[in-house]
Amino acid sequence: MLITVRHRTRYRFDSSASHSVHSLRLTPQSFESQSVKSWRIAVPGIEGAASFVDGYGNTVHLVTVADPHDDLEIVAEGEVETEDAAGVVKGAREVAPARVYERVTGLTEPDERIRALAAGLEPEDPVERLHALMDRVADAMTFNVGVTEASTPAAEALAAGHGVCQDFAHVFISAARADGCPARYVTGYMLDRDSPSAEANHAWAEAHVDGLGWIGFDVVHRMCPTDIYVRLACGLDALDAAPVRGTRRGGHHDTLDVCVEVQQQTSQQ
């Protein structure tokens, strides 16, 4: 499937920022079931931006805006061809060994509720076990926008019983690690034919199975990613994989506006 993505992020400041620096994880990579046909990032300072691969295999652009500015727009867009691999990620750039993703972070620290989700899973087959865990997490939470924040830990979201895709992914990751399985956070895009525009990009989890590799689990939709997904970046949690992170001098009280358009292209196009 050929998918086009346009991801626009815009910051507006109440007062001018004199200087800002941004790390952008906005470049998807090609692997066996995903081929990036074209991709570009438009933002002031991108021509002189430093580019590197981080410890999780993500391409990062470090952009500096040295002139005073009271707003900033970042646009990433391109075409990606995808195939349905039942969530299995093969051929992606792997810098860190799987055991690194057993590490607990502040956003994925398990509590007794999370450990209870991982306890007593009946399937011995590791893939079936992860599917059972996905269902447990999905049963325990309701998708609600605006009830959690980017800094909400997994344990807090589970205790409240609701959240967004970030929270569902964090709870699954925390529980999988508690069950002894390496797991990581993934950002990306999901094609919705009924609504090609969304407020933000999507997020899901990946778990590592010996002999098979990394497998994606979208807990919100109770499914493994298919050809309607575009994988962008990964990390231990949402902070590591955030598409845009930055710091600035001045420019207090910002307003953030994010719009993502994901569309399927026909073969003729």
Side-chain angles (χ1 to χ4, degrees), residues 94-190:
E94 299 290 352
V95 176
R99 64 179 180 275
V100 167
Y101 298 96
E102 298 174 5
R103 178 183 171 188
V104 173
T105 69
L107 291 175
T108 60
E109 180 78 36
D111 65 354
E112 292 307 311
R113 287 188 179 90
I114 289 177
R115 292 189 180 93
L117 287 175
L121 291 169
E122 294 182 358
E124 293 186 6
D125 177 83
V127 177
E128 293 180 5
R129 191 177 184 87
L130 289 164
H131 277 279
L133 177 59
M134 177 171 64
D135 287 337
R136 281 192 178 186
V137 175
D139 288 342
M141 299 181 69
T142 301
F143 186 90
N144 281 323
V145 176
V147 295
T148 56
E149 300 177 352
S151 59
T152 301
E156 184 179 326
L158 179 61
H162 50 212
V164 293
C165 54
Q166 171 180 302
D167 305 298
F168 281 68
H170 278 158
V171 173
F172 177 90
I173 289 165
S174 181
R177 290 174 184 164
D179 195 42
C181 179
R184 63 191 182 189
Y185 187 95
V186 179
T187 57
Y189 310 103
M190 179 182 177

Side-chain angles (χ1 to χ4, degrees), residues 51-74:
S51 178
F52 61 93
V53 175
D54 69 11
Y56 307 111
N58 306 310
T59 298
V60 184
H61 291 89
L62 193 62
V63 176
T64 299
V65 183
D67 297 325
H69 51 288
D70 52 20
D71 66 358
L72 181 68
E73 183 174 82
I74 305 166

